[in-house]
Amino acid sequence: MLCKASLRNLIIRAGYIENFVKQGSIIHLNEKFGGASSSSSYQLNRGFRSYMNKMMVDNSNSTKPGSLPRKENVTEGGYATGGWKSEDGRLSCGYSSFRGKRASMEDCFDVKMSTIDGKPVCLFGIFDGHGGSRASEFLREHLFENIVKHPQFMKDTKLAISETYQRTDMDFLDSESNTYRDDGSTASAAVLVGNRLYVANVGDSRAVISKAGKAVALSEDHKPNRSDERKRIENAGGVVMWAGTWRVGGVLAMSRAFGNRLLKQFVVAEPEIQEQEIDDELELLVLASDGLWDVVPNEDAVSLARTEEEPEAAALKLAETAFSRGSADNITCIVVKFHHGQKKTDSAQG
């Protein structure tokens, strides 16, 4: 006889297989998503083409963030890279994104800026899709705009971020309600408001800072075997099972995500948020999908990023290092550098 847990797992797996068979996709297992992934539905260069949008800058007091002006390069090895520097020289960022060994590109990222109530606001995000790129693309298009539109964004930034994450998850599920797809995505975002940095994480992408040369994680991966996450899932009636790695219902190798309708009761999009003051010890921030973190420890990432003066070069070095160390996933990372010397110079001149 089947136990209840085994029967539940069988039903969940059957739901995933039925959905993807109806969709007419090629079904195969991958490391993060134990159900199905449609490689036939996505052209290999779709992820790179999605970055080549028309960029705008919003320097007004509007609450709509503008995409930063940035140059876009694609190296001979296929790495999409770019960078940006603030007008006052106090902040610069670089990014690198690479399909790697995957058949399709499911990572997305977003970098935006605005000025709200006279304060500079910058937003940096990594969105690592699984089972397709629809969820990660939806987050790139909507998450940051939704965050800054929240009525409490400037007064209670943490509340605004938390509520917007969960509202945007519902919006995505609604937008996909008439499809047979059931993909999902992580979201690791850094929101800079004045001299306060907020890092909000859902899933197993990660944010790490260099503080006086020391690597400090500002997020903790949402893995099903994390004791608090396992307890939350089981209290909701779910199961965590070993299937090559620990998975929710034997299917999904992360405990929180956007999307994943069939597991939504257990796989929530409520972010964990950490707050950090921007001081002279804060040197840089690394945001990356698990294609980096699977093979590059936090300390290595910080050490490698610190060797490069320009954040774009640092991001490219991190992506290349991850691939050379055997990463089998898409690899996307953003490096943000804080230039405190510029701030001191400006103060002195004032």
Side-chain angles (χ1 to χ4, degrees), residues 45-58:
N45 65 346
R46 177 175 179 178
F48 293 121
R49 290 207 321 270
S50 67
Y51 302 140
M52 310 299 284
N53 301 325
K54 182 178 180 182
M55 299 303 167
M56 298 169 53
V57 184
D58 178 9

Side-chain angles (χ1 to χ4, degrees), residues 102-232:
R102 291 284 188 185
S104 60
M105 184 62 173
E106 297 175 336
D107 282 2
C108 287
F109 69 92
D110 197 14
V111 179
K112 283 186 168 62
M113 67 163 290
S114 188
T115 301
I116 304 175
D117 296 341
K119 286 186 178 182
V121 174
C122 295
L123 306 99
F124 311 92
I126 297 288
F127 315 117
D128 182 358
H130 48 264
S133 61
R134 294 281 297 182
S136 56
E137 290 172 355
F138 188 92
L139 294 176
R140 183 194 62 210
E141 296 300 323
H142 298 286
L143 182 62
F144 287 166
E145 184 174 342
N146 290 346
I147 286 175
V148 298
K149 283 182 176 179
H150 192 286
Q152 297 297 314
F153 175 65
M154 296 301 290
K155 294 180 180 179
D156 192 340
T157 306
K158 281 188 176 182
L159 174 68
I161 293 172
S162 181
E163 290 185 351
T164 301
Y165 263 56
Q166 295 170 85
R167 177 70 254 178
T168 303
D169 182 41
M170 294 174 63
D171 290 345
F172 171 70
L173 291 173
D174 288 344
S175 73
E176 297 283 293
S177 60
N178 294 324
T179 73
Y180 292 117
R181 292 183 295 264
D182 194 37
D183 56 336
S185 179
T186 72
S188 184
V191 179
L192 181 62
V193 182
N195 70 333
R196 309 300 297 182
L197 177 67
Y198 303 88
V199 171
N201 187 59
V202 161
D204 57 5
S205 296
R206 191 183 306 165
V208 176
I209 60 171
S210 174
K211 195 170 180 66
K214 182 181 179 181
V216 179
L218 288 189
S219 66
E220 186 177 354
D221 299 355
H222 288 129
K223 297 293 189 181
N225 58 321
R226 237 180 72 173
S227 58
D228 56 340
E229 288 294 278
R230 183 168 194 154
K231 182 178 180 180
R232 177 184 62 77

Side-chain angles (χ1 to χ4, degrees), residues 260-273:
N260 294 114
R261 181 187 300 105
L262 296 179
L263 294 171
K264 196 74 268 175
Q265 182 179 352
F266 322 117
V267 180
V268 299
E270 180 180 356
E272 290 185 310
I273 303 173

Side-chain angles (χ1 to χ4, degrees), residues 23-97:
Q23 189 181 346
S25 303
I26 298 173
I27 300 174
H28 62 90
L29 298 181
N30 63 41
E31 188 173 348
K32 286 186 293 184
F33 191 69
S37 174
S38 170
S39 60
S40 60
S41 299
Y42 301 93
Q43 296 180 10
L44 298 185
N45 65 346
R46 177 175 179 178
F48 293 121
R49 290 207 321 270
S50 67
Y51 302 140
M52 310 299 284
N53 301 325
K54 182 178 180 182
M55 299 303 167
M56 298 169 53
V57 184
D58 178 9
N59 289 318
S60 68
N61 289 328
S62 166
T63 58
K64 183 177 181 180
S67 298
L68 299 176
R70 62 198 189 202
K71 63 183 188 299
E72 189 85 37
N73 303 307
V74 178
T75 69
E76 290 184 3
Y79 294 83
T81 69
W84 162 86
K85 192 171 186 178
S86 64
E87 291 184 0
D88 60 13
R90 300 179 184 182
L91 191 73
S92 62
C93 78
Y95 59 86
S96 184
S97 192

